[in-house]
Amino acid sequence: MLAKRVIPCLDVDGGRVVKGVNFVDLVDAGDPVEQARLYDAEGADEVVFLDITATSDDRATTLELAARASESLAIPYTVGGGLRDLAGMRAMVAAGADKISLNSAAVENPGLISAASAAFGSQAVIVAVDAKRAPREGEADRWEVYVAGGRRATGIDAVAWAEEAARRGAGEILLTSMDRDGTKEGFDIALTRAVARAVPIPVIASGGVGTLEHFAEGILDGEADAVLAASVFHFGTFTIREVKEYLASQGICVRLDF
Amino acid sequence: MAIVIVDYHAGNLSSVLRAFGRLGADARVSDDPIEIAMADAVVLPGVGAFADAMDYLERSGEAAGIQDAISIGTPFLGICLGLQLLFQLGDEGVPGATGDCTGPVRAGLGLFSGQVRRLTSTRLKVPHVGWDTLDIVPGAEEHPLLLGIPWGANVYFTHSYALEPNVNPRIVLAKAHYGWSFPAVVGAKRVFGTQFHPEKSSAVGERLIANFCAIVEEARSSGGEFG
C-alpha cells in the first residue's frame, strides 16, 4: 500500500538552513545537505529544499546545493524557490533534483507548469500554493493565493488555482496555510481538505504543525497524502521516527523500515 | 573494467552513480558501446520515455553494447524505465499511442516477452509516486538480489507505466500492487530489473544495490560463466 509521507522542509538562504516564523524573523543554523542526511537516516520519505530568498545571484549556490544533495541523499528531494523559467528548472533537474517546486512564477505564467511537466514529467513538478483565508459574504471557507514569499496577494482563489495547476500537469500540490505557518496551531484542515478533494493529484499539507496530533489530523481529516514541516524537525521538537510511529499508531500507513 | 552506468543523455545519473560509489563499487557513467559491451556489469537507469530511450540507445550503438554484454553473461540491472526496456513492447512517447500497446508501439530490447502499459485507474492517482511495499513472491525470498530484504519492504516508485501482469512468472521475483499487480523486480540468470528506484530507496535500496554488487563480484570470480 502506498505510504503517507513525512517530509521535512529545509528553508535555505545563501546556502544555509533557516526557518522563519510567519515568513519573517529568520534564525540561522546548519548546512542543508548535512541536515538532510540526518533526516534520511531518521526515516524522512523525502526532503524539500526551499530557497526562500532566491535571486538570480543565488542560483549558483542553489545549483551547487542540488548537486551535493544528489551525491549524499538516498531518498528523493525537491528544490524550490525562485525558479522562474524552463532553463532554470532544467539546470536544477540536471543537477540531480528529483522534483522542482514552482510558486510565484507559475501564478504569473501558468504555461510554465505545462512546459515543465512536458519536459520532466508530472512526477517532477510540484506547484506550491501559499494560501491565506479570505472569507467573503456567504463564503466563509475561501482562501486566496499569495506570491513572493507570502508578501503579495493575488486575488486568485486557492482551490481553483490548485485545480488549474493539476490540469496543467502538476504532479503534486504543496499547500501552505499562511495563517498557520509558524504558529504551531496545526494545519488549516478545511483548506487542506478542500484542495485534496478538488484535485486528482497528491496534496502535501504544510504550515502550522506543533504537535504529533497535528500530523495525523492533516492526513485523516485534511485528507493529505503527505505532511510537511520545518521547525519541529529543525529544532528537534520531534524526530521523524516519532512522527511516523505516532501516525502508525493512528492506523496510518507509513514507511517504518529504515 | 567496472560497473558501467549507461548514459543515454536523458537526465541526471549522479544519484545512481553515487549509490554504487557509497558501497565502494568501481562504477562509472559511459555512453560508449564498446565500454558497455566489455563492462563487468551494466546498469541501465530510468530516465525519460520508452520510445525516446530506445531510439537513442539504438542510434548510439548502446543497445548493441547492452545486448553483447548480456549475451556473454555480464550482470545487468535495469532501473524503472531500464526494467521496462528489457521487454518486447512499449508505447510511451510513441505518437498516436493508446497507452496499452493496442496502437502504434515501439520495440524494446526484447530480452523478455511482455509489454508495458500506462497505469490507469479511476480511484488511484497516476503517476504512482512514493513509497510502496514489495510483495516478494514465494520462493524468491532467498534470491541473491533480494537477500536481507523482507517481504513488505518499502521502496520508492515514480512511474506512469508498468509491465502487464502476464509476463513469464518464472522471471518475477517481486510484485507491487497499484492499479494492478505488476512485476516490481524481475530476474533471470544475471539479468535483473526493478520498477522502483533502489538509489532513492534509502537502506532497502542500498541493500539491493549491495546484493547486485555481490552478484557482480561472484560473476567476475567465476570468469563470466553463468552460475
Side-chain angles (χ1 to χ4, degrees):
Chain A
M1 190 174 172
L2 194 60
K4 302 296 183 190
R5 291 166 286 157
V6 176
I7 306 175
C9 177
L10 289 155
D11 292 350
V12 179
D13 183 9
R16 303 282 294 170
V17 181
V18 288
K19 173 58 199 167
V21 175
N22 278 329
F23 284 46
V24 290
D25 290 341
L26 305 177
V27 183
D28 189 64
D31 168 34
V33 177
E34 279 308 301
Q35 187 68 50
R37 284 179 61 164
L38 209 76
Y39 288 150
D40 179 357
E42 271 187 7
D45 296 310
E46 298 179 25
V47 176
V48 171
F49 297 103
L50 192 59
D51 193 356
I52 52 170
T53 56
T55 64
S56 50
D57 300 343
D58 291 335
R59 280 301 84 192
T61 315
T62 314
L63 276 175
E64 193 217 326
L65 167 72
R68 283 175 55 223
S70 128
E71 294 179 1
S72 300
L73 297 182
I75 52 172
Y77 66 96
T78 299
V79 179
L83 292 167
R84 305 216 57 84
D85 53 32
L86 203 58
M89 289 185 266
R90 196 181 297 283
M92 210 54 84
V93 170
D98 297 282
K99 310 179 189 185
I100 46 98
S101 172
L102 285 172
N103 194 333
S104 308
V107 176
E108 284 155 29
N109 174 17
L112 213 48
I113 303 170
S114 327
S117 90
F120 319 119
S122 284
Q123 83 292 337
V125 182
I126 293 181
V127 172
V129 178
D130 292 340
K132 195 178 168 90
R133 277 190 177 271
R136 280 197 304 215
E137 186 71 36
E139 198 183 358
D141 278 343
R142 182 181 172 276
W143 299 266
E144 192 177 328
V145 175
Y146 275 64
V147 294
R151 287 187 287 272
R152 197 166 75 241
T154 63
I156 299 168
D157 180 88
V159 177
W161 169 237
E163 287 178 296
E164 182 178 351
R167 260 197 315 277
R168 288 180 175 272
E172 293 178 72
I173 300 292
L174 167 50
L175 180 65
T176 301
S177 162
M178 302 261 328
D179 303 294
R180 294 298 178 89
D181 198 58
T183 66
K184 304 202 185 303
E185 289 170 14
F187 297 117
D188 184 335
I189 294 299
L191 166 68
T192 309
R193 188 167 47 218
V195 173
R197 288 186 177 177
V199 298
I201 56 175
V203 171
I204 304 165
S206 158
V209 164
T211 68
L212 292 173
E213 289 77 12
H214 291 156
F215 284 100
E217 284 164 15
I219 293 166
L220 296 174
D221 303 329
E223 302 176 18
D225 299 274
V227 281
L228 178 143
S231 58
V232 291
F233 296 131
H234 184 57
F235 294 117
T237 316
F238 308 116
T239 65
I240 288 158
R241 182 182 285 277
E242 282 174 321
V243 171
K244 294 179 100 172
E245 283 173 352
Y246 178 78
L247 293 178
S249 78
Q250 300 304 300
I252 296 166
C253 171
V254 290
R255 177 180 71 104
L256 279 169
D257 50 343
F258 44 83
Chain B
M1 262 299 132
I3 297 172
V4 169
I5 297 161
V6 179
D7 186 2
Y8 47 105
H9 301 266
N12 183 285
L13 306 180
S14 64
S15 57
V16 177
L17 180 64
R18 296 294 168 172
F20 280 91
R22 278 195 291 272
L23 292 166
D26 177 17
R28 69 185 65 150
V29 170
S30 174
D31 60 2
D32 177 2
I34 306 286
E35 204 171 344
I36 293 165
M38 295 177 64
D40 282 334
V42 176
V43 176
L44 187 60
V47 277
F50 193 97
D52 300 337
M54 276 312 299
D55 287 350
Y56 190 91
L57 290 171
E58 288 186 346
R59 214 169 44 234
S60 64
E62 289 170 301
I66 292 167
Q67 303 270 18
D68 285 355
I70 289 174
S71 71
I72 57 168
T74 304
F76 175 96
L77 178 65
I79 296 170
C80 194
L81 177 63
L83 164 145
Q84 297 176 4
L85 293 170
L86 285 171
F87 288 78
Q88 282 171 315
L89 290 179
D91 67 1
E92 183 191 10
V94 178
T98 56
D100 60 1
C101 290
T102 56
V105 291
R106 180 70 171 85
L109 293 167
L111 273 116
F112 299 133
S113 55
Q115 57 193 32
V116 179
R117 65 177 294 173
R118 193 174 163 76
L119 289 168
T120 48
S121 171
T122 49
R123 195 173 54 85
L124 299 168
K125 294 168 179 181
V126 175
H128 177 215
V129 180
W131 296 83
D132 214 331
T133 45
L134 271 187
D135 177 2
I136 298 174
V137 305
E141 302 90 344
E142 298 300 316
H143 191 283
L145 189 68
L146 299 178
L147 282 181
I149 300 176
W151 187 92
N154 280 284
V155 290
Y156 188 78
F157 290 88
T158 172
H159 61 126
S160 299
Y161 287 75
L163 280 168
E164 292 198 331
N166 61 351
V167 306
N168 182 349
R170 286 167 58 196
I171 67 165
V172 179
L173 303 180
K175 298 181 216 177
H177 309 285
Y178 197 83
W180 66 85
S181 289
F182 56 82
V185 182
V186 300
K189 294 182 179 169
R190 290 181 186 138
V191 180
F192 305 103
T194 65
Q195 180 57 68
F196 61 91
H197 287 265
E199 79 281 13
K200 293 287 171 187
S201 295
S202 202
V204 174
E206 191 167 280
R207 183 65 204 249
L208 185 134
I209 292 171
N211 289 342
F212 180 71
C213 289
I215 291 168
V216 174
E217 205 46 56
E218 191 273 329
R220 191 156 29 199
S221 59
S222 71
E225 296 299 314
F226 283 118

